[in-house]
Amino acid sequence: MGAYFSHEYAVEAAALCNPSMVAHPDQSELRPGQLRAAVSLRQIGEGHLSSIGFASAVLGPGSHLVVQGRSGSLVTGRRGHVQHRRDLLAAGLREEGWDNEVCATVLAALPEHYDEADFERVLGALPPDLLYCSTTPDTLEQLRRTAAASYAIAFPADTLLHERVLWPATAAESNGMEDARFVRFVDDAGVPTYRATYTAYDGRRVAPRTVISDDLRHFRIDPMRGPGARNKGIALFPRAVHGRHLALCRSDGETIGLTALADDNAWRAPVPLHGPRRSWELIQVGNCGSPIETDAGWLVLTHGVGPMRRYAIGALLLDLHRPERVIAELPGALLAPDDTEREGYVPNVVYSCGALLHGDLLWLPYGASDARVGFATVPLATLVEAMVRGRSS
């Protein structure tokens, strides 16, 4: 009732959970041994509507942690123009089964990169014999809906990170933007960008999306296409591996897989890495964020779902040069819900969307039963030493 009369929406009224953490773009005014981190959050409001929010924290020295305040008004940003990609439009139409003469004509007329004006110009130039087909109105609606999956959002320069909210902006995400997994990606030239994946949900279907940002103020959103992008829980690697752009996925709903981006910008069929094997991961497994590069290998935090839907967090180690090889595994759970973390919006769950390595500590932000967010630390050397080696895939 309050939201109705005030025209306001409480973005965290129901739950707050599933954080990921990356180095903040602003590292000024810090003491030696400190790192400022940007924390993404899944915030759930009335009607179970999820959006992506943010917080800032200062890590160190040592295991010291300060989460900075989050006062002030929230801003959803302004939608801007974006250069669309024809290959993503073609892949989206193909996945949805729209393969007819109208689609083929539009794709043939579009340039490799196009804007909204180019798109409408091509639609307006369709031959009359195609315009009068009985299926054309539905096809045009599908073309517009598929193209609209790519968009851009910008926030005013005077907004602080914790005031920015990535809010559902398309039909595909009308019931929520879930579980963003942010990573600081460094390209071959050494240029960093922030990238993320999240799950768009329309109340019936899930659809993976990518986010790219240089500064966590300007964001570009695109759909993910291909057999490796057909479920929740995709996590991007922080760099290319021997020229390949890789991601962890769970396309079958229960197994962690490795997928690579093909030349047509579609994610290939995944290579299985790890399936349910132990009692605490009996029902399904997935990742808890992007792999973390270490001298010992790619550290992958996992989540396992056991009996009574109890979620716990584990770990794998992948070969640095051949990530399709699992070289070590933590034999038990790294983190499980204790008695103070078992009750909440979704009970009996600890879950993370991305950890951060700072100094010799692994910093793990996690949602506890979707009621609050906690932080755990473990020395990286201790974790690696506890892993059992010898597995390979």
Side-chain angles (χ1 to χ4, degrees):
M1 290 177 64
Y4 179 84
F5 286 110
S6 66
H7 298 284
E8 294 182 352
Y9 183 86
V11 295
E12 299 172 5
L16 183 68
C17 56
N18 302 358
S20 72
M21 191 158 62
V22 293
H24 198 290
D26 177 15
Q27 294 296 322
S28 63
E29 301 180 4
L30 295 176
R31 301 196 309 272
Q34 290 186 321
L35 176 77
R36 182 172 289 112
V39 184
S40 72
L41 301 160
R42 178 181 175 185
Q43 44 195 22
I44 306 173
E46 297 100 331
H48 195 76
L49 181 61
S50 296
S51 58
I52 300 171
F54 298 96
S56 297
V58 175
L59 317 181
S63 60
H64 188 65
L65 168 72
V66 175
V67 179
Q68 298 175 329
R70 302 176 70 210
S71 60
S73 302
L74 299 180
V75 179
T76 56
R78 176 172 294 182
R79 189 158 175 169
H81 296 290
V82 67
Q83 284 288 308
H84 297 270
R85 291 178 8 204
R86 184 182 60 200
D87 56 358
L88 286 180
L89 176 63
L93 293 169
R94 189 165 54 247
E95 286 183 358
E96 296 291 335
W98 289 85
D99 182 15
N100 58 34
E101 191 174 357
V102 173
C103 292
T105 301
V106 170
L107 291 172
L110 284 172
E112 184 178 357
H113 294 90
Y114 63 94
D115 59 19
E116 285 84 354
D118 297 327
F119 186 64
E120 291 301 328
R121 192 178 304 115
V122 168
L123 295 188
L126 283 173
D129 58 324
L130 291 181
L131 282 175
Y132 296 129
C133 290
S134 60
T135 58
T136 296
D138 289 340
T139 301
L140 293 179
E141 181 182 348
Q142 181 65 36
L143 279 160
R144 289 191 171 95
R145 183 163 53 245
T146 305
S150 294
Y151 65 95
I153 293 291
F155 292 88
D158 60 352
T159 57
L160 300 175
L161 179 62
H162 69 263
E163 296 173 337
R164 301 167 194 165
V165 177
L166 291 175
W167 187 256
T170 67
E173 58 196 28
S174 56
N175 272 54
M177 304 166 72
E178 302 178 354
D179 301 344
R181 287 161 161 80
F182 274 83
V183 67
R184 188 175 181 267
F185 182 91
V186 180
D187 67 15
D188 292 338
V191 178
T193 56
Y194 294 96
R195 301 190 179 188
T197 63
Y198 70 89
T199 301
Y201 181 54
D202 66 1
R204 187 167 58 93
R205 297 183 301 177
V206 297
R209 296 288 186 261
T210 59
V211 180
I212 296 180
S213 176
D214 292 330
D215 54 6
L216 297 183
R217 188 167 75 86
H218 301 85
F219 298 86
R220 178 192 170 100
I221 287 85
D222 285 304
M224 301 181 75
R225 304 298 187 189
R230 289 183 179 163
N231 210 313
K232 295 183 172 185
I234 299 172
L236 305 172
F237 275 61
R239 64 170 176 85
V241 181
H242 298 301
R244 297 186 299 163
H245 289 257
L246 303 175
L248 301 173
C249 65
R250 195 183 66 197
S251 58
D252 68 353
E254 65 176 31
T255 305
I256 299 173
L258 180 76
T259 179
L261 190 63
D263 292 339
D264 61 356
N265 281 304
W267 292 91
R268 295 173 179 160
V271 175
L273 294 180
H274 179 74
R277 297 172 61 238
R278 302 180 185 275
S279 61
W280 62 273
E281 56 181 20
L282 187 63
I283 297 174
Q284 68 182 42
V285 293
N287 68 74
C288 275
S290 294
I292 298 170
E293 187 170 6
T294 74
D295 292 340
W298 293 104
L299 176 63
V300 175
L301 296 178
T302 67
H303 71 263
V305 184
M308 305 301 294
R309 289 196 76 255
R310 180 180 182 268
Y311 278 67
I313 295 175
L316 302 173
L317 204 59
L318 310 181
D319 187 283
L320 273 180
H321 303 288
R322 294 177 56 198
E324 49 278 306
R325 294 184 62 243
V326 179
I327 59 176
E329 174 186 356
L330 193 67
L334 174 65
L335 187 68
D338 64 20
D339 289 342
T340 68
E341 297 169 331
R342 295 183 58 185
E343 295 184 6
Y345 191 67
V346 180
N348 223 18
V349 170
V350 291
Y351 191 93
S352 179
C353 286
L356 176 65
L357 188 62
H358 174 49
D360 61 354
L361 289 180
L362 179 71
W363 290 80
L364 175 62
Y366 65 96
S369 295
D370 290 10
R372 60 192 177 279
V373 169
F375 295 83
T377 61
V378 60
L380 176 64
T382 301
L383 174 57
V384 172
E385 288 171 6
M387 300 180 82
V388 175
R389 293 182 174 268
R391 280 195 62 194
S392 63
S393 298

